[in-house]
Every structure is written in C-alpha cells, then in structure tokens.
C-alpha cells in the first residue's frame, strides 16, 4: 500500500483517536477528530484545559501517535511510518514552538538555533542561522543567552529555531501564554509574516482570544471532540 498521496490538504485526519493508558484507567484525550487543513493556513485550536489541544498538536506533528484513525500530513500517512521514518519525517517537515520556549540555557541565541541543524548534520548552518536570526529581528542578540533576553526575544529565538530547517508545518502550543499583550502582538505579527512569506501551515493552540484572532480558522475542542469551527473574518486575520 502506498503511504503518500497528492493532496491540497496539508493535514487530513479521519476519526483520530488518542487514548492514554494510565494506572487509573484509560484517558480518552481525543475521541474522533476529522480535520482538513489547507496548505498555508493558520489554524487556531482553543478549548478548556484538558480538552485535548496539546494531544492533537502532537499527533499531527508526529511527536505522538494516534491510537486509531488516520493522520495524513503533507501526503504522508503518519500511522504507517515506523519510528525511524516518523522521526525523519518530523525532522524535515515540522517545526515546534512551545509556551516555555524550551531553549538551552547555556547556549547563545545563535547556538540554540544552530543546534538542531548541527545534530542532524546539515550544511550551510551559519548562513541559515543568520538568515532566520534576521527574519526574527534578533541578529544583534545572537551572542546573548536566554536569561539575558526578554520573554518575547526568547520566543523569537525559539521560532527562529523552529523554522530554521524550512519546515512546511509549524506547531505552536500556546506560544504567547507567558507573554504580555504587547509582546504577544509582536510574536503574532511575526508568525503572520512567516505564514505568508514562507508558505507555512500553522497549527497553534491558545487560550488567548487575541492570539486566536490572528488565525484563519479556529477550532474549539471540548472533551476530545471538535465542538465548533469558526472561520475568522479576513479583516481580523489580516489586520
Ligand atoms: N501522557 C499522558 N498520559 C496520560 N494522560 C494524558 C497524557 N497527556 C495528556 N493526557 C490527558 O489527556 C487529556 C488531554 O490533555 P491535553 O494535554 O491534550 O489537554 P490541553 O487541551 O492541551 O490542556 P491545557 O490547556 O491544560 O494545555 C487530559 O485529560 C490529560 O490529562
Ligand atoms: Mg496543552
């Protein structure tokens, strides 16, 4: 059976179920998610704590595996990739940004961005690192360590690291949760520019109404199911 198809959809899931086995019993984190997301769109995911946002992002980004159902991402059937294939697919296709930035404290901004490329033996690392540092407006801060930078600057470094490998998909799990409103706007503006200029598809979870306004479409999860899907007015998505 072929495990790739041509598709307009960046992401396509069908009856995506994720059940965690715990000592206290099964936790049904996702109960059957059907998604069709077009390339180059920004999808926001909202929902109460525990509704399944992070689980959904991780299953689509290949950090976790669905228990059942289909997950197609850029023409790949993730359910039928073995662990090594999934890791390689993730490395070349997906960038991740998190609420807590997840930077290495002892490394400079430059080194944090370069590290994943170094670990995977990519060439032209200096050129690419400088390019993304410039894209996020931090070239002057390249030698600073995380604790010498503001939260917004640290998130810029994390985003630069996430896009350094030119991923098709950016997964951002509550990227503005630790930032004040003005800094959140800066980061969201940066993400909007990157989605447009790099033709990125962005899947972002958030509790923050401001962040969700920037998305083209917002899905609401309730107890592991999509309870609502709203297309934002273009004026909001492009304001
Ligand atoms: N590794 C795990 N093992 C067991 N249960 C888990 C695991 N990860 C998540 N869960 C459970 O799955 C459900 C969905 O969790 P998830 O982290 O996806 O929620 P969330 O919407 O991202 O919440 P938050 O807004 O707090 O980040 C919750 O009931 C959670 O306790
Ligand atoms: Mg979460």
């Amino acid at each position: 059976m072929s495990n790739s198809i041509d598709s307009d959809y960046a992401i396509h899931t069908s009856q995506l179920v994720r059940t965690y086995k715990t000592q206290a019993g099964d936790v049904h984190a996702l109960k059957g998610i059907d998604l069709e997301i077009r390339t180059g769109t920004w999808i926001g995911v909202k929902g109460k704590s525990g509704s399944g946002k992070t689980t959904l992002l991780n299953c689509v980004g290949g950090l976790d595996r669905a228990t059942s159902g289909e997950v197609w991402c850029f023409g790949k059937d993730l359910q039928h990739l073995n662990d090594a294939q999934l890791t390689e697919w993730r490395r070349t296709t997906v960038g991740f940004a998190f609420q807590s930035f997840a930077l290495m404290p002892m490394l400079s901004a430059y080194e944090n961005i370069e590290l994943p490329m170094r670990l995977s033996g990519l060439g032209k690392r200096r050129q690419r690192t400088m390019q993304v540092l410039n894209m996020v407006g931090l070239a002057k801060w390249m030698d600073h360590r995380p604790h010498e930078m503001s939260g917004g600057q640290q998130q810029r470094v994390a985003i630069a690291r996430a896009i350094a490998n030119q991923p098709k998909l950016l997964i951002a799990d509550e990227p503005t949760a630790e930032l004040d409103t003005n800094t959140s706007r800066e980061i969201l503006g940066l993400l909007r520019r990157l989605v447009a200029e790099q033709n990125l598809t962005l899947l972002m979870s958030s509790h923050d109404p401001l962040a969700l306004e920037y998305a083209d479409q917002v899905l609401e999860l309730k107890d592991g199911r999509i309870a609502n899907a709203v297309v934002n007015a273009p004026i909001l998505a492009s304001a």
Side-chain angles (χ1 to χ4, degrees):
M1 196 176 76
S2 160
N3 70 346
S4 71
I5 51 167
D6 287 330
S7 166
D8 279 353
Y9 292 115
I11 298 164
H12 176 109
T13 72
S14 174
Q15 285 303 298
L16 162 53
V17 167
R18 179 64 168 106
T19 305
Y20 293 105
K21 302 249 175 242
T22 72
Q23 288 190 337
D26 289 356
V27 177
H28 300 282
L30 298 175
K31 297 178 179 168
I33 303 284
D34 296 326
L35 275 183
E36 285 177 340
I37 297 174
R38 289 198 178 275
T39 302
T41 52
W42 179 337
I43 303 295
V45 183
K46 69 175 186 177
K48 288 189 180 143
S49 182
S51 59
K53 301 180 298 296
T54 296
T55 306
L56 177 62
L57 267 50
N58 289 348
C59 286
V60 169
L63 272 182
D64 192 6
R65 281 187 188 271
T67 306
S68 65
E70 292 184 31
V71 184
W72 291 82
C73 208
F74 292 96
K76 284 282 183 200
D77 175 1
L78 300 195
Q79 288 292 82
H80 290 97
L81 299 182
N82 65 31
D83 286 353
Q85 289 169 328
L86 187 64
T87 301
E88 179 61 11
W89 173 83
R90 199 174 59 227
R91 189 181 71 74
T92 54
T93 317
V94 193
F96 292 90
F98 303 97
Q99 165 179 355
S100 56
F101 322 133
L103 299 172
M104 305 285 278
M106 298 308 289
L107 300 183
S108 67
Y110 178 95
E111 290 163 339
N112 264 288
I113 295 167
E114 194 221 11
L115 183 65
M117 293 189 275
R118 184 140 51 91
L119 293 176
S120 49
L122 291 186
K124 299 196 175 171
R125 294 197 292 271
R126 181 164 181 86
Q127 188 186 344
R128 185 64 191 153
T129 304
M130 291 313 300
Q131 200 177 357
V132 289
L133 270 166
N134 279 310
M135 267 186 212
V136 302
L138 280 186
K140 280 189 188 154
W141 291 79
M142 61 184 271
D143 293 325
H144 288 249
R145 289 186 186 173
H147 73 271
E148 298 163 338
M149 290 186 280
S150 69
Q153 287 170 328
Q154 291 182 54
Q155 190 59 296
R156 281 171 189 267
V157 174
I159 290 168
R161 179 182 58 184
I163 62 163
N165 201 18
Q166 296 179 299
K168 292 178 180 164
L169 175 64
L170 180 60
I171 302 261
D173 198 357
E174 303 196 35
T176 59
E178 303 208 350
L179 306 176
D180 63 39
T181 304
N182 283 339
T183 312
S184 293
R185 280 187 202 282
E186 277 174 33
I187 293 295
L188 294 162
L190 169 66
L191 289 173
R192 183 165 53 210
R193 185 158 60 74
L194 294 173
V195 167
E197 291 175 4
Q198 312 291 312
N199 196 31
L200 270 173
T201 302
L202 173 54
L203 189 56
M204 173 196 77
S205 80
S206 188
H207 290 279
D208 175 6
L210 170 71
L212 292 161
E213 277 184 13
Y214 281 70
D216 297 307
Q217 191 183 357
V218 177
L219 308 174
E220 183 177 5
L221 290 184
K222 264 191 193 152
D223 199 18
R225 291 198 169 87
I226 296 180
N228 205 1
V230 175
V231 176
N232 275 343
I235 188 143
L236 287 178
S238 64

